[in-house]
Amino acid sequence: MTMLWDASWNVGIDVIDAQHKRIVEYINALETAITHQQHAVIGQVLAQLTDYTESHFAFEESLQQEVGYEYAIPHQATHKTFVARIKKYQTRHDAGEDIASQLHTMLSTWLVHHISRDDAAYVKAVHESMRHVLSNTKEDGWLKRSLKRFFG
Ligand SMILES: [Fe+2]
C-alpha cells in the first residue's frame, strides 16, 4: 500500500522532516516497481534508497553530535543495524531471490517506528540547541556545510 505522509510523523524540524519524506517517496517508488514486477528497477530503487538513507543518517548523527545529544551512540547503532538489514536484502535480490514485498513491509514498519519513537525522542531532548544550530544558514554554518558534505 502506498505510504501517505502522516502529520504525526513530523518531528518538527523541517530539514529532518523533508529527508524523512524523501525516504517515504523511495519506499513508494519501490512499491510501484514491485507491483509491476520490474526486477531491475527494484534493484535500482533499493540502491538509491540505501544511498539516500545513509546520507540522511550521517546528517542526523552529525547534528546529534553538534548539539551533544546524550544518546547519540545508541541512536547511531540503530541506524547501523538498519543499513546492514537493507544491504542483506540487496544481496538476496541480486542473487535473484524474490524479497520485494517482505522488504517493503520491513522498510515501512521500521521507518515509521524509528521516526515516531527514536527520532521524536532526540528532537525533544535537544530541540532548542538544534533550532539554534539550524537557524544559522550562513555558508560556513553547520547546516550548509553538512548538507554539502553528506548530500553533495
Ligand atoms: Fe534516526
Side-chain angles (χ1 to χ4, degrees):
M1 215 168 63
T2 305
M3 287 177 82
L4 290 176
W5 185 261
D6 189 292
S8 70
W9 301 341
N10 285 318
V11 294
I13 299 287
D14 290 348
V15 66
I16 299 288
D17 288 331
Q19 291 173 12
H20 287 157
K21 282 178 187 161
R22 183 88 184 268
I23 297 174
V24 168
E25 281 169 18
Y26 278 119
I27 297 177
N28 286 333
L30 184 69
E31 195 200 20
T32 306
I34 295 170
T35 309
H36 296 96
Q37 300 183 318
Q38 297 164 309
H39 186 84
V41 180
I42 295 172
Q44 279 162 18
V45 176
L46 184 52
Q48 288 168 343
L49 183 142
T50 307
D51 186 66
Y52 185 82
T53 303
E54 285 191 285
S55 299
H56 162 66
F57 284 169
F59 177 87
E60 211 178 59
E61 288 162 14
S62 172
L63 178 59
Q64 291 181 358
Q65 211 174 11
E66 185 69 15
V67 299
Y69 177 48
E70 193 182 356
Y71 301 111
I73 302 290
H75 193 110
Q76 198 174 330
T78 67
H79 287 169
K80 244 186 154 172
T81 310
F82 179 65
V83 170
R85 274 173 83 183
I86 321 182
K87 288 189 172 167
K88 256 186 216 155
Y89 274 108
Q90 178 88 61
T91 309
R92 289 170 59 192
H93 173 81
D94 293 346
E97 246 187 272
D98 182 10
I99 46 94
S101 14
Q102 201 183 335
L103 167 69
H104 185 267
T105 308
M106 187 284 278
L107 288 174
S108 45
T109 312
W110 188 90
L111 186 72
V112 170
H113 185 77
H114 182 72
I115 291 178
S116 40
R117 188 194 58 179
D118 304 335
D119 289 346
Y122 87 72
V123 170
K124 196 174 169 211
V126 284
H127 203 256
E128 277 317 300
S129 11
M130 211 173 274
R131 282 216 177 278
H132 181 75
V133 168
L134 297 174
S135 65
N136 178 354
T137 53
K138 287 185 192 140
E139 281 307 316
D140 61 347
W142 182 91
L143 180 64
K144 282 268 168 73
R145 276 190 290 116
S146 303
L147 286 174
K148 217 175 286 164
R149 178 172 164 212
F150 298 118
F151 295 97

